[in-house]
Amino acid sequence: MDQGRAARRTEVVAIGNQKGGVGKTTNTVHIAAALAERGRKCLIIDLDMNHGATRHFGIPSDAFLGAFEILTHEEKPLDVILSSEDRDDDLTLPENLDLIPSRRKLEKIDQALAAKNKFLVMQDVLLEPLEQLRGLYDYIFLDTAPNATTPTIAAYKAADWFILSAIPDPFAIAGLSDALTDIQDAQRSGNPNLRLLGVVLSGVDKRTTLANSLSDYVEKIFTPDGSSRSAKFDTVISRSTAIPQTQKLGKTLFQSHSTHKVTDQYRQLAREVEERLRAFRGEPMSKPIGEVLPTLPTQVKEALVANG
Ligand SMILES: Nc1ncnc2c1ncn2[C@@H]1O[C@H](COP(=O)(O)OP(=O)(O)OP(=O)(O)O)[C@@H](O)[C@H]1O
Ligand SMILES: [Mg+2]
């Protein structure tokens, strides 16, 4: 990796929602890939023991050191970064997109940290590794797990920005309230600078009325009182078989389906991400977005009741 360049202003972005299967990893990989295509230098840190982002790049499980070693400070982040510049047949990372991979061993992180130092504040373990990386990238994306494991909590504690992943599924929408509470808890308990950059709605099939009504609902509940701007990104990611296909290949859509509609949606989303960052940086922190309204749309309530 070229370390001799001028320092960059690094934005650390956590992508989360402690609900499983809501597109966190797919969004992390493709927002980063779209920004990398725009020439931005990006790093993804895979903080999930199920290593979805690592698998997305076709990297075999347990092949490389990564998140576990940087969180336990056994390795310096710069020594475990995988990049397109690496000459390894197993690696096909896109240009400008680096990865700190994860593996199953991450499930043992708490025991490993406690064995090192019983007084260690576990939620702070990502702060020092990130300090070593700031200035080298335009963006560092933190892909988090669907539960409150130490690496996930450490991501909420260390990030500058938060992108919330949501899908138009009644249960996922009903759970958005918990996702917002998690962000607010992180703001109250140690990371007052954490800001919600936006909500990405993905896996949307616009042909269904439920998806359209849930999309409108998400738009509405994420519009703070008195504001005309919703935290939901205007760009919505469609549901497409291209996504599981590219994941099976261990590639990004930018490598396997570069002219696909969904690839273009991620390009558009990346532009929105950069526009928001430019707008938000100079702005004082807006009023926190209120609790998600308990008044779920009728269709969501009906779907929840029908499913017990
Ligand atoms: N736009 C889309 N169209 C079709 N399938 C999608 C889309 N986005 C994600 N998926 C599929 O949905 C599943 C869950 O996506 P993903 O792994 O990104 O979610 P996640 O929130 O990271 O899950 P986990 O909480 O388990 O880490 C995957 O099988 C993925 O292929
Ligand atoms: Mg994931």
Side-chain angles (χ1 to χ4, degrees):
M1 205 181 115
D2 169 18
Q3 294 172 43
R5 71 175 97 76
R8 294 166 192 259
R9 174 184 175 134
T10 305
E11 306 288 3
V12 178
V13 185
I15 306 217
N17 185 344
Q18 288 183 43
K19 181 154 177 53
V22 292
K24 295 182 290 294
T25 299
T26 309
N27 290 331
T28 306
V29 166
H30 289 96
I31 293 171
L35 289 164
E37 190 185 60
R38 286 165 73 82
R40 314 293 188 249
K41 187 84 187 152
C42 299
L43 171 70
I44 294 174
I45 308 183
D46 186 347
L47 291 168
D48 186 355
M49 65 178 85
N50 286 321
H51 49 89
T54 305
R55 277 186 279 124
H56 206 309
F57 291 105
I59 294 172
S61 178
D62 270 335
F64 298 99
L65 304 181
F68 179 92
E69 286 75 21
I70 66 163
L71 295 179
T72 53
H73 298 184
E74 286 166 31
E75 297 285 341
K76 292 198 170 69
L78 287 175
D79 293 335
V80 295
I81 287 173
L82 303 176
S83 100
S84 62
E85 291 155 33
D86 290 327
R87 295 275 156 261
D88 186 313
D89 291 343
D90 280 339
L91 282 180
T92 53
L93 285 167
E95 196 182 347
N96 291 327
L97 180 45
D98 292 356
L99 173 75
I100 294 186
S102 174
R103 55 196 173 124
R104 199 75 222 168
K105 191 178 179 187
L106 203 55
E107 71 189 338
K108 303 252 169 28
I109 190 76
D110 287 10
Q111 297 95 305
L113 291 170
K116 271 182 169 276
N117 178 351
K118 291 188 186 57
F119 300 95
L120 197 103
V121 181
M122 295 220 188
Q123 57 178 246
D124 287 345
V125 287
L126 198 50
L127 297 176
E128 195 187 311
L130 282 175
E131 273 323 302
Q132 294 180 35
L133 293 165
R134 281 186 191 269
L136 299 175
Y137 289 92
D138 297 304
Y139 297 99
I140 299 178
F141 288 97
L142 309 174
D143 185 26
T144 60
N147 38 36
T149 52
T150 294
T152 298
I153 300 299
Y156 283 57
K157 179 78 185 279
D160 307 316
W161 305 97
F162 196 95
I163 291 181
L164 183 56
S165 263
I167 55 169
D169 160 89
F171 286 94
I173 299 294
L176 280 175
S177 178
D178 295 335
L180 266 194
T181 306
D182 289 333
I183 300 171
Q184 286 166 353
D185 286 348
Q187 289 167 333
R188 289 191 198 110
S189 316
N191 189 0
N193 298 322
L194 182 67
R195 285 184 73 171
L196 178 66
L197 187 62
V199 182
V200 180
L201 197 62
S202 68
V204 176
D205 182 349
K206 285 247 173 185
R207 290 166 305 183
T208 70
T209 43
L210 180 60
N212 283 316
S213 124
L214 291 180
S215 180
D216 292 347
Y217 176 71
V218 171
E219 174 95 31
K220 197 171 84 200
I221 58 175
F222 283 104
T223 305
D225 293 344
S227 165
S228 57
R229 188 169 61 186
S230 176
K232 175 179 155 291
F233 287 106
D234 290 336
T235 312
V236 161
I237 307 297
S238 300
R239 185 188 313 182
S240 167
T241 51
I243 299 230
Q245 278 167 16
T246 198
Q247 284 163 345
K248 223 168 161 187
L249 295 170
K251 296 198 184 307
T252 70
L253 288 170
F254 292 82
Q255 296 164 302
S256 65
H257 298 70
S258 78
T259 58
H260 195 279
K261 177 178 101 175
V262 177
T263 320
D264 277 339
Q265 289 170 342
Y266 276 113
R267 289 187 179 105
Q268 182 60 34
L269 180 58
R271 278 194 286 274
E272 257 197 84
V273 163
E274 294 216 299
E275 278 162 19
R276 281 203 186 182
L277 280 169
R278 268 196 299 276
F280 284 13
R281 268 183 203 135
E283 228 177 58
M285 186 130 36
S286 58
K287 280 192 293 184
I289 292 175
E291 299 293 318
V292 171
L293 300 175
T295 50
L296 292 166
T298 322
Q299 282 153 308
V300 177
K301 281 191 208 146
E302 282 168 1
L304 293 174
V305 171
N307 286 284

